[in-house]
Amino acid sequence: MSRTCEGRVVIITGAGGGLGAAHARVLASEGAKVVVNDINEAAAQAVVDEITTAGGEAVVNTSDITNYDDSLNAVKQAIDTFGDLHAVVNNAGINRDRMFASMTESDWDAIMAVHLKGHFCISSHAVHYWRGLSKEGKAVDARIINTSSGAGLQGSVGQSNYAAAKAGIAALTLTQAAELGRYGITVNGLVPVARTGMTTAVEAMAQRMAKPEDGSFDYFAPENVSSLVAWLVSPLSDHVTGRLFEAEGGKVAIADGWRSTEPVDKGERWDPAELTDAVAQLLAREVPAQKVFGS
């Protein structure tokens, strides 16, 4: 049986643990050559050692994804080590959870730096490389895979900074897909639910997501999500772009985003008081949004 990612060169950010490490292991098992990016060199090296011991190919990269100049080194290392680059999987993330009324500027800035700017930096350098190849007339079959969250799609109490960043990543994904297809680049987003250090930091969540002791299907294993990432990285997905895929256990779905409802049209300017009835009509026929997490 052929491996889906045979020969594909992939950078995975935040791959020293959690989902990123699972992505790295699964993609390597599917034939990818993996640049394991993490600021924790020891953690990244442990993942690389695991991959190489299993017969795969991987190298450590410690570029700071929030530093534009330093992040270029991840792209250079992929090309210098493996001869090419086919995909960037933007996975790295952190939490700084607080209710909005208690949130500090540093809580906000740290999340925006790691999530939003972190999704920009390496991807920007990769796109410059792929665009250059395309302009030289070479065939490009490249991927960007961004990591959003249910918090970004529907909000999450106590996580306004994280939710805003993840919503921004969803919009970034749609825009990149619209702009970059001309260069042979597809862009899709991931909305994962899995057992990681971030999701199990709360004891109740850790218990709910614990690996079953009876050997039954491990519903919250991060590798369940990584199978979708492998498919998105592979040539099999070359016809799919601009989608946000939800992955949880054995389930895969597409997050169907914001859509306009049928308008109430007066045909001229509304008097503010008239809008009470107009909005009542809109609310009466809308499909209610999913509830904000924690509400």
Side-chain angles (χ1 to χ4, degrees):
M1 183 175 177
S2 62
R3 299 188 294 181
T4 57
C5 298
E6 196 70 58
R8 303 284 273 178
V9 180
V10 186
I11 298 170
I12 305 174
T13 68
L19 272 173
H23 297 343
R25 291 190 296 265
V26 170
L27 265 67
S29 73
E30 289 292 319
K33 301 173 183 181
V34 184
V35 177
V36 177
N37 165 267
D38 203 289
I39 57 172
N40 184 330
E41 185 173 5
Q45 186 64 58
V47 175
V48 168
D49 291 345
E50 187 177 355
I51 289 171
T52 55
T53 298
E57 296 184 67
V59 292
V60 172
N61 174 268
T62 58
S63 294
D64 178 357
I65 63 167
T66 71
N67 182 297
Y68 190 75
D69 291 338
D70 190 25
S71 64
L72 174 60
N73 293 319
V75 174
K76 286 182 175 179
Q77 185 176 358
I79 298 167
D80 291 345
T81 305
F82 298 123
D84 207 346
L85 176 65
H86 301 99
V88 172
V89 179
N90 289 306
N91 166 79
I94 60 171
N95 275 345
R96 294 290 186 272
D97 293 354
R98 290 180 187 270
M99 299 298 281
F100 185 80
S102 301
M103 188 164 293
T104 66
E105 183 180 12
S106 63
D107 293 330
W108 184 271
D109 288 348
I111 291 294
M112 296 303 155
V114 174
H115 290 275
L116 273 178
K117 188 176 181 183
H119 269 62
F120 167 73
C121 289
I122 289 178
S123 295
S124 173
H125 295 301
V127 166
H128 294 163
Y129 169 68
W130 293 324
R131 183 178 62 178
L133 293 178
S134 178
K135 288 185 174 182
E136 291 172 7
K138 297 177 181 178
V140 176
D141 184 30
R143 308 280 183 271
I144 296 174
I145 300 168
N146 296 327
T147 304
S148 186
S149 167
L153 303 183
Q154 63 195 77
S156 180
V157 171
Q159 292 188 307
S160 58
N161 50 357
Y162 180 81
K166 290 301 191 183
I169 288 167
L172 173 66
T173 299
L174 301 181
T175 305
Q176 287 176 319
E179 292 182 357
L180 301 177
R182 71 191 73 179
Y183 305 120
I185 306 165
T186 68
V187 188
N188 290 287
L190 189 68
V191 183
V193 177
R195 183 176 57 248
T196 70
M198 286 172 61
T199 58
T200 59
V202 178
E203 184 177 352
M205 289 288 287
Q207 292 176 356
R208 185 171 77 87
M209 291 185 158
K211 184 176 181 178
E213 298 179 358
D214 60 4
S216 59
F217 175 53
D218 187 359
Y219 184 88
F220 292 108
E223 289 79 9
N224 298 334
V225 176
S226 302
S227 293
L228 174 59
V229 175
W231 183 82
L232 288 170
V233 164
S234 80
L236 298 171
S237 68
D238 63 358
H239 60 295
V240 179
T241 194
R243 303 294 192 278
L244 269 78
F245 287 93
E246 298 176 290
E248 176 181 344
K251 298 187 293 187
V252 178
I254 291 176
D256 195 8
W258 293 97
R259 292 179 181 273
S260 298
T261 63
E262 181 184 349
V264 176
D265 184 2
K266 182 182 177 182
E268 58 183 321
R269 180 183 171 186
W270 290 90
D271 182 275
E274 293 178 313
L275 285 165
T276 299
D277 289 339
V279 171
Q281 291 181 55
L282 293 172
L283 294 175
R285 66 192 186 207
E286 73 166 343
V287 176
Q290 293 173 245
K291 289 187 65 177
V292 172
F293 287 117
S295 65

